[in-house]
């Protein structure tokens, strides 16, 4: 795959990037804009996903990886520990790799946010999706603007680059 990154903007002079969705292909939420499958009881997390993800990424020759995920409200910490392990394994196998995590809100569990933020990532991104007044029309009821803002405020103490993302509605 790495030979194709030259065509896609990677290679010796440009930054090659990729995005990977982690923690399965079933989300525990049902946001109206999203086409990811929804399930109250998705399958278990793959315990080898951190290692296998890092192994794959190390073979691609990318310089920047975005880790995104489904929401996993069925897991105690929302999957924060699993995502943190993915970041740590990526940094172990590819030390110069820049890692962005497009993270869920972990149901507002700020301890989960702290755990992930301390994993060694370079950029913490979070989708707020839309302005406050449109939240109920766009997002699953378990997600809300205030909860997302609390996640982002908590990140300030980590001095990470953070990215807030909005959909165009």
């Amino acid at each position: 795959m790495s030979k194709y990154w030259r065509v896609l903007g990677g290679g010796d002079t440009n930054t090659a990037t990729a995005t990977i969705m982690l923690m399965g292909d079933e989300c525990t939420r049902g946001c109206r804009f999203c086409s990811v499958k929804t399930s109250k009881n998705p399958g278990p997390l793959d315990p080898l996903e951190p290692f296998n993800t890092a192994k794959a990424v190390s073979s691609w020759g990318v310089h920047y990886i975005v880790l995104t995920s489904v929401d996993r409200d069925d897991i105690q910490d929302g999957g924060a520990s699993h995502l943190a392990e993915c970041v740590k394994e990526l940094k172990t196998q590819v030390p110069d790799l820049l890692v962005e995590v497009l993270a869920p809100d972990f149901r507002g569990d700020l301890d989960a946010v702290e755990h992930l933020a301390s994993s060694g990532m370079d950029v913490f991104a979070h989708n707020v999706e839309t302005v406050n007044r449109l939240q109920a029309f766009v997002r699953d009821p378990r997600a809300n603007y205030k909860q997302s803002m609390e996640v982002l405020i908590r990140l300030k103490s980590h001095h990470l680059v953070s990215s807030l993302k909005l959909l165009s509605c």
Side-chain angles (χ1 to χ4, degrees):
M1 181 170 182
S2 61
K3 67 181 177 182
Y4 299 108
W5 286 105
R6 292 191 198 291
V7 176
L8 297 173
D12 298 329
T13 59
N14 296 313
T15 301
T17 64
T19 300
I20 298 174
M21 188 167 81
L22 302 172
M23 301 199 304
D25 64 352
E26 296 177 314
C27 186
T28 56
R29 298 193 185 172
C31 297
R32 289 163 189 81
F33 60 86
C34 187
S35 63
V36 173
K37 293 183 286 187
T38 301
S39 174
K40 288 182 181 179
N41 298 304
L45 296 177
D46 176 359
L48 297 176
E49 186 172 49
F51 177 81
N52 290 335
T53 298
K55 183 179 176 185
V57 170
S58 70
S59 73
W60 295 346
V62 297
H63 306 103
Y64 192 100
I65 189 81
V66 178
L67 305 177
T68 187
S69 72
V70 293
D71 279 290
R72 292 296 303 258
D73 294 329
D74 61 313
I75 299 171
Q76 178 71 27
D77 70 352
S81 295
H82 187 81
L83 292 172
E85 285 305 311
C86 290
V87 172
K88 290 173 186 174
E89 190 64 39
L90 278 162
K91 290 294 194 168
T92 297
Q93 290 192 36
V94 193
D96 294 331
L97 181 70
L98 294 175
V99 179
E100 174 179 336
V101 179
L102 178 52
D105 61 18
F106 305 115
R107 298 179 316 274
D109 179 350
L110 298 180
D111 289 336
V113 172
E114 289 279 343
H115 183 70
L116 179 57
S118 300
S119 67
M121 74 172 78
D122 300 288
V123 178
F124 190 110
H126 178 65
N127 286 344
V128 176
E129 311 304 354
T130 190
V131 296
N132 192 22
R133 69 180 176 82
L134 297 177
Q135 292 280 310
F137 301 105
V138 176
R139 295 176 84 184
D140 182 277
R142 291 167 284 187
N144 63 67
Y145 188 82
K146 182 178 183 248
Q147 189 165 280
S148 289
M149 290 298 111
E150 288 171 355
V151 166
L152 293 167
I153 289 167
R154 179 60 66 100
L155 290 172
K156 289 188 89 167
S157 66
H158 288 273
H159 306 290
L160 289 168
V161 173
S162 58
S163 174
L164 169 114
K165 300 180 188 287
L166 294 169
L167 289 173
S168 175
C169 294

